[in-house]
Amino acid sequence: MKEIKYKPIGIVHSPFKKTDNAPRQPAYGRGIEATVEIFPEYEEGLINIEKYSHIVLICHFHKSDTKPLKVRPPMEDKLRGVFASRSPNRPNPIGLSIVRLDRVEGRILYIRDVDIIDDTPVLDIKPYIPL
Amino acid sequence: MKEIKYKPIGIVHSPFKKTDNAPRQPAYGRGIEATVEIFPEYEEGLINIEKYSHIVLICHFHKSDTKPLKVRPPMEDKLRGVFASRSPNRPNPIGLSIVRLDRVEGRILYIRDVDIIDDTPVLDIKPYIPL
């Protein structure tokens, strides 16, 4: 099947500068504040986003450099398939984060409860609607 | 920022053959059965996935052909930003679906509660863990 190409719509600015100090579980990011800078050409796409208390960020794990099919999650003994894990190292290193949206100022989203490292490219944003 | 390239890991086989008969809201897909065929080279990545009752499918909306920044959701009068919508037509046409995982047979996932059209390329699968 043919390759699929995407272009980042924005970038995350976060206090986690390296993968090794980023939280290993989303719950550990509770309270951590960060911003998403949307690139000027996509700003219009943000209209009404402030109505949502939580948003889904779809990001590219830019520091991922291996694509194992089996991984060992933290605190576990056994290997499991990468699709049964949240490992950033995966065939297509796509990250999914549900974050709290505190406020929007122009093309800057102020977010909270973040486990994303600095400079992570953002591919898409969707409103979070619980199952 | 530079382009990001992904390669599909599998494909959805679903009863919805065209975008215009696919459900417009995920709730309307309730009960609908489909399968995900994972390509042979990624089968090992499925180990342990059967432990989860629900999974997140990250797909490429292959029928999307426009990239509007403002969209009008069904049953609404006003335009809103595409990032405050679930429209398949978006700058990077990435779809996110939470589906029930009924069973796994080899590299075929039997799923339910599906609003995905036939032949949709799958980019990633993650276990669904509620917020």
Side-chain angles (χ1 to χ4, degrees), chain B residues 35-53:
Chain B
T35 56
V36 182
E37 175 191 346
I38 300 298
F39 300 138
E41 61 269 41
Y42 299 107
E43 182 173 348
E44 238 187 349
L46 295 177
I47 297 169
N48 285 130
I49 192 115
E50 72 285 351
K51 295 193 175 171
Y52 294 92
S53 67

Side-chain angles (χ1 to χ4, degrees), chain B residues 20-94:
Chain B
D20 57 8
N21 66 8
R24 293 196 153 263
Q25 299 288 343
Y28 301 165
R30 196 69 47 89
I32 301 294
E33 295 178 23
T35 56
V36 182
E37 175 191 346
I38 300 298
F39 300 138
E41 61 269 41
Y42 299 107
E43 182 173 348
E44 238 187 349
L46 295 177
I47 297 169
N48 285 130
I49 192 115
E50 72 285 351
K51 295 193 175 171
Y52 294 92
S53 67
H54 290 79
I55 54 175
V56 181
L57 297 181
I58 300 178
C59 296
H60 175 69
F61 286 128
H62 63 303
K63 294 291 189 191
S64 159
D65 53 2
T66 58
K67 299 179 182 300
L69 288 179
K70 291 193 284 187
V71 297
R72 194 189 314 276
M75 324 270 229
E76 280 189 31
D77 289 339
K78 284 197 210 149
L79 290 169
R80 59 166 72 195
V82 70
F83 302 127
S85 89
R86 293 177 34 97
S87 169
N89 299 310
R90 45 204 312 122
N92 294 312
I94 301 175

Side-chain angles (χ1 to χ4, degrees), chain A residues 2-10 39 42 58-60 92-95 121-124 126, chain B residues 1-8 58-64 67 88-96 120-124:
Chain A
K2 70 164 197 239
E3 238 176 23
I4 290 167
K5 296 177 190 170
Y6 295 132
K7 246 178 89 176
I9 60 155
F39 299 138
Y42 298 106
I58 300 177
C59 295
H60 176 69
N92 294 312
I94 301 175
V122 178
L123 299 177
D124 197 11
K126 297 181 195 292
Chain B
M1 252 183 144
K2 71 166 197 240
E3 238 175 25
I4 290 167
K5 294 177 190 170
Y6 295 131
K7 246 178 89 175
I58 300 178
C59 296
H60 175 69
F61 286 128
H62 63 303
K63 294 291 189 191
S64 159
K67 299 179 182 300
N89 299 310
R90 45 204 312 122
N92 294 312
I94 301 175
L96 204 64
T120 296
V122 178
L123 299 177
D124 198 10

Side-chain angles (χ1 to χ4, degrees), chain A residues 19 27 51 53 55 108 110:
Chain A
T19 48
K51 295 192 175 171
S53 66
I55 54 175
I108 308 295
Y110 289 81

